[in-house]
Amino acid sequence: MVLAATLCVTAAVQAAARSAAAQDQPPAEWSFTLGAGAMYASDYEGSDDYTVMPLPFVEVSWQDRIRLSGLGIFATPFMTDGLRFDLGVKYEFGRYEDDNDALKGLGDLEVGAVAVVRFGYEAGAVNLGLEIARDLTGDRNGLTATAEAEYAIQLLDDVRLSMTPHLTWADDEYMSNTFGITAAQAARSARGLASYDAGSGLKDVGINLGVGYALTDSIQVMGQVGYSRLLGDAADSPLVTDEGSADQFSAMLGLAYRW
């Protein structure tokens, strides 16, 4: 949840850098973004119970090439007017038994460090992206690939709207460890969940709608609502069909200061 929201700050910083480039202005040597907000989202992937959590926004960027963003550090070794290649490492929180009564007896699912490789292509108002993420630590041991296409328009000089559909594929390890239930877990389950084997395949499809409003040259209000639908073995998991929902919603509102 934290990383999903901080992507809004990253997008705002990159949009400012693209605007400067369009005006033949070199990117600032250093840029900083600080802010705070709140996010509303399900308490585990596939849950129908929702929670609100505070979100700190922190980003430090050097020439739009190296960025410390939220709980990750990223580098851009290759960038042209239209193409962009990013790589980095981010930290993801896991899933814990105390998050929801449906998880009692299943044990904690630690995640930790995740390696990320991202390819982007900008064509006017459309930004195409493919992100591949691989767990480096923890219990999930999974790999995902997410394709997205952001369409953004600038309304007046201070309002930016975006619409981003996305599709995610996950490998067998990610699916089985996130949505599967072993025989031992089923025996310990407080809700009596049946054992379930989840295999690789499409995990979800969804769309995010975002808005950014520039109060000043440095202060921006950001909002986002999102919907995703779990697919395949993810949607058929007892954690989803018996205890949760394949329909997943989220909302975020925040304020950031950039200099």
Side-chain angles (χ1 to χ4, degrees), residues 126-176:
V126 178
N127 282 280
L128 304 177
L130 174 64
E131 179 177 290
I132 300 171
R134 172 68 188 182
D135 294 330
L136 299 178
T137 62
D139 307 318
R140 194 171 62 187
N141 297 320
L143 181 144
T144 61
T146 301
E148 64 180 24
E150 180 196 51
Y151 175 73
I153 57 173
Q154 193 75 30
L155 297 182
L156 303 175
D157 293 328
D158 49 14
V159 178
R160 182 177 186 268
L161 301 179
S162 65
M163 177 177 65
T164 311
H166 58 84
L167 177 69
T168 301
W169 173 91
D171 72 353
D172 186 74
E173 291 286 344
Y174 184 103
M175 295 287 277
S176 62

Side-chain angles (χ1 to χ4, degrees), residues 6-134:
T6 53
L7 288 176
C8 299
V9 178
T10 302
V13 172
Q14 293 178 352
R18 289 195 296 267
S19 176
Q23 301 173 26
D24 295 326
Q25 299 174 6
E29 185 77 9
W30 290 93
S31 66
F32 305 86
T33 301
L34 291 175
M39 189 168 191
Y40 174 78
S42 56
D43 53 15
Y44 71 84
E45 192 171 12
S47 174
D48 60 359
D49 293 323
Y50 287 76
T51 186
V52 177
M53 67 174 295
L55 294 172
F57 297 151
V58 180
E59 176 155 313
V60 179
S61 175
W62 178 75
Q63 293 188 343
D64 197 30
R65 290 281 186 172
I66 299 177
R67 297 176 306 284
L68 175 64
S69 181
L71 298 177
I73 184 168
F74 305 90
T76 306
F78 176 79
M79 178 172 57
T80 68
D81 290 341
L83 294 173
R84 185 182 184 105
F85 170 63
D86 299 293
L87 51 85
V89 177
K90 62 183 180 180
Y91 181 88
E92 287 191 14
F93 294 99
R95 187 187 71 192
Y96 306 100
E97 283 190 308
D98 293 339
D99 291 342
N100 190 294
D101 287 344
L103 303 175
K104 300 292 187 183
L106 303 187
D108 296 337
L109 181 65
E110 300 286 352
V111 181
V114 179
V116 176
V117 176
R118 180 179 176 83
F119 303 91
Y121 176 70
E122 180 180 357
V126 178
N127 282 280
L128 304 177
L130 174 64
E131 179 177 290
I132 300 171
R134 172 68 188 182

